Amino acid sequence: MQLSLKKPIIFFDLETTGLSITTDRIVEMSIIKVNTNGTEEEYSYRFNPEMPISAEAEAVHHISNADVIDKPTFKVKAHEIARIIEGCDIAGFGSNRFDIPMLAEEFARVGVDFDFKKARFVDVQTIFHKKEQRTLTAAYKFYCDRDLNDAHSAIADTRATYEVLKSQLDRYNDLPNDIEKLSAYSTQQRNVDLMGRVVYNEHGVETINFGKYKGKPVAEVLKSDPGYYSWILQGDFSQDTKNVFTRIKLASGNK
């Protein structure tokens, strides 16, 4: 089934130096942009991350330090990538949890002010887990009846994710062919920041979603524990998360 689109959507996948959103870097990014008329544009990039690729990461995606030593840095291509995805909704496999926060952190690091709040996110992995509970390789075999060759190369994973979503729409009659509704279905919680460190509770209040203050309103914690804000700013949190705490602090008058 072809996607019913009101605006373009990009499918993307990242390969990185490791699993830390705040300290690791992107080494490969692939994008498939699907336009409202069904035409597709495909982009692939490799970057010199300016730091070593961990052995654990290389074992997964098979990109070595030597493979990227002569590649441009992310900063060189960041504005080009931002132009490609501007005005698009965003889809990926596990993207709400890792790829989108990672990309947002890289944009922030190189000074590109990209507003992710304008996009709706469709996480194909979440749809898969709600329906079948498996991995991308298994999803591709299950939905598309094909083996995923070159798994963990960004373009293969990106193409597979796109194909899986179309097959999910064919398989499940109750799954809406509407990006806004797919975004809502594939969202597991109402995030305020991209990493989900702060979420909206059932009353729409911005609430801490980790640690000793989990479940407590952010404004309330910032008022009762003034040192908590400094701890957030100095901690291993994404810039997006820190910006959310700063905004809430200023809005609540906790100066």
Side-chain angles (χ1 to χ4, degrees):
M1 182 183 292
Q2 294 302 308
L3 300 182
S4 175
L5 301 176
K6 296 181 178 68
K7 65 179 181 177
I9 185 170
I10 66 140
F11 292 77
F12 84 110
D13 185 70
L14 304 177
E15 306 300 342
T16 61
T17 59
L19 296 177
S20 172
I21 288 168
T22 56
T23 60
D24 279 304
R25 301 288 186 271
I26 299 171
V27 295
E28 187 175 59
M29 179 178 187
S30 287
I31 301 169
I32 296 173
K33 182 175 181 177
V34 186
N35 297 302
T36 54
N37 63 1
T39 59
E40 301 173 15
E41 304 167 30
E42 189 173 298
Y43 306 88
S44 288
Y45 302 90
R46 279 194 176 179
F47 307 108
N48 181 339
E50 301 181 287
M51 66 177 293
I53 299 170
S54 70
E56 294 80 6
E58 183 179 347
V60 172
H61 53 54
H62 307 296
I63 301 171
S64 69
N65 293 299
D67 291 331
V68 294
I69 190 66
D70 60 345
K71 301 300 181 184
T73 63
F74 182 84
K75 184 175 184 178
V76 170
K77 295 292 185 178
H79 286 283
E80 177 181 327
I81 292 168
R83 284 193 297 271
I84 292 169
I85 67 179
E86 179 67 34
C88 297
D89 292 321
I90 301 174
F93 197 86
S95 49
N96 286 0
R97 176 176 47 85
F98 182 78
D99 299 79
I100 290 171
M102 185 76 179
L103 181 59
E105 190 72 3
E106 286 277 38
F107 275 148
R109 190 177 292 118
V110 300
V112 173
D113 184 17
F114 189 87
D115 187 2
F116 282 90
K117 292 182 176 62
K118 293 180 179 179
R120 291 166 296 191
F121 304 146
V122 177
D123 193 326
V124 177
Q125 184 185 57
T126 300
I127 296 173
F128 182 40
H129 284 176
K130 285 186 174 182
K131 296 293 188 181
E132 306 296 342
Q133 310 276 315
R134 293 182 186 167
T135 65
L136 177 57
T137 300
Y140 194 60
K141 182 67 174 179
F142 181 85
Y143 288 111
C144 304
D145 196 27
R146 294 195 292 274
D147 293 323
L148 179 53
N149 298 318
D150 299 322
H152 297 298
S153 72
I155 190 59
D157 287 358
T158 302
R159 173 64 62 181
T161 299
Y162 175 35
E163 295 295 334
V164 165
L165 179 58
K166 292 192 292 182
S167 293
Q168 286 173 330
L169 291 169
D170 286 329
R171 179 176 290 265
Y172 304 116
N173 292 331
D174 63 335
L175 201 60
N177 191 353
D178 179 278
I179 296 303
E180 184 172 2
K181 293 177 181 178
L182 286 173
S183 175
Y185 185 84
S186 63
T187 299
Q188 294 181 309
Q189 59 189 12
R190 296 173 62 205
N191 289 1
V192 179
D193 66 323
L194 293 170
M195 290 190 69
R197 300 292 194 180
V198 179
V199 298
Y200 293 107
N201 67 13
E202 65 273 19
H203 304 296
V205 176
E206 294 159 320
T207 304
I208 294 171
N209 195 38
F210 68 99
K212 65 180 181 179
Y213 290 125
K214 185 173 182 179
K216 299 287 187 181
V218 176
E220 179 183 301
V221 171
L222 294 179
K223 183 176 181 180
S224 63
D225 184 355
Y228 188 75
Y229 177 67
S230 295
W231 178 76
I232 290 290
L233 293 189
Q234 296 167 12
D236 186 22
F237 297 99
S238 70
Q239 190 59 49
D240 177 61
T241 299
K242 294 175 182 179
N243 290 345
V244 165
F245 273 91
T246 298
R247 175 181 59 75
I248 297 171
K249 179 179 174 66
L250 293 174
S252 62
N254 291 317
K255 300 178 182 179

